[in-house]
Amino acid sequence: MAALLPLAVKCPCGETVRPMTLGMWAALERIGSPLITGEPPKDALEIIPSLYLLTHDPREVLASGFFDAAVAWADSLPVTALGEIRDACYRQMDAMGDVLPEVKKKTSPATAGSRRSPTGRRASTAGAGAKSCGKSRQARSRSCVARSA
């Protein structure tokens, strides 16, 4: 039931991480948040804007003093808040993932001896094509190109 109706998560540091919304996801994406990209942050300063957004309104990413406000906010918290807020974020992201429908790709079954080509047409896997002798051509060297010119 918690996945269907995600609730805000209160962190021990006193901050509250609200359920993940499309607006929050878009704001985190806009700043290149390591929480969204999966890339490890270079340092704590790289993750602070993400943590700030998670505990504030996602529209704050549009404010001109967003990064200054994020650092000022972080300056009022203990170091342990970094892990607490990050973990709460992952709980919210997991809750969001639990309610998203699975997307299944539609595929048509390939016939024996054929595979899909990038253009969608079936390509034979039974050997060389009609226009090929089966050998690959070697690229001409620069000296051959210069001699023929």
Side-chain angles (χ1 to χ4, degrees), residues 3-149:
L4 294 175
L5 301 169
L7 303 172
V9 176
K10 185 80 167 176
C11 298
C13 65
E15 295 293 323
T16 300
V17 177
R18 296 179 305 152
M20 188 61 64
T21 63
L22 179 57
M24 182 62 74
W25 187 271
L28 291 168
E29 196 174 55
R30 167 63 63 92
I31 64 169
S33 172
L35 299 171
I36 302 294
T37 65
E39 295 292 321
K42 291 180 286 205
D43 53 26
L45 191 57
E46 190 173 33
I47 193 107
I48 285 173
S50 301
L51 302 179
Y52 179 74
L53 275 177
L54 291 166
T55 58
H56 292 76
D57 190 315
R59 292 176 290 189
E60 292 210 20
V61 76
L62 304 172
S64 62
F66 168 72
F67 291 102
D68 288 338
V71 173
W73 165 81
D75 195 35
S76 70
L77 296 172
V79 175
T80 56
L82 188 140
E84 294 168 4
I85 296 170
R86 184 196 60 224
D87 292 346
C89 169
Y90 287 137
R91 283 195 301 271
Q92 295 292 27
M93 290 171 73
D94 289 344
M96 180 183 75
D98 290 344
V99 297
L100 291 176
E102 286 188 39
V103 178
K104 294 183 181 180
K105 294 182 181 179
K106 292 184 180 181
T107 57
S108 59
T111 58
S114 67
R115 57 181 162 73
R116 283 252 179 226
S117 70
T119 60
R121 295 176 29 209
R122 298 207 187 275
S124 174
T125 58
K131 294 183 181 178
S132 171
C133 65
K135 287 197 251 178
S136 61
R137 299 177 107 189
Q138 287 187 341
R140 294 175 65 182
S141 70
R142 287 188 205 173
S143 59
C144 290
V145 173
R147 268 188 265 155
S148 61

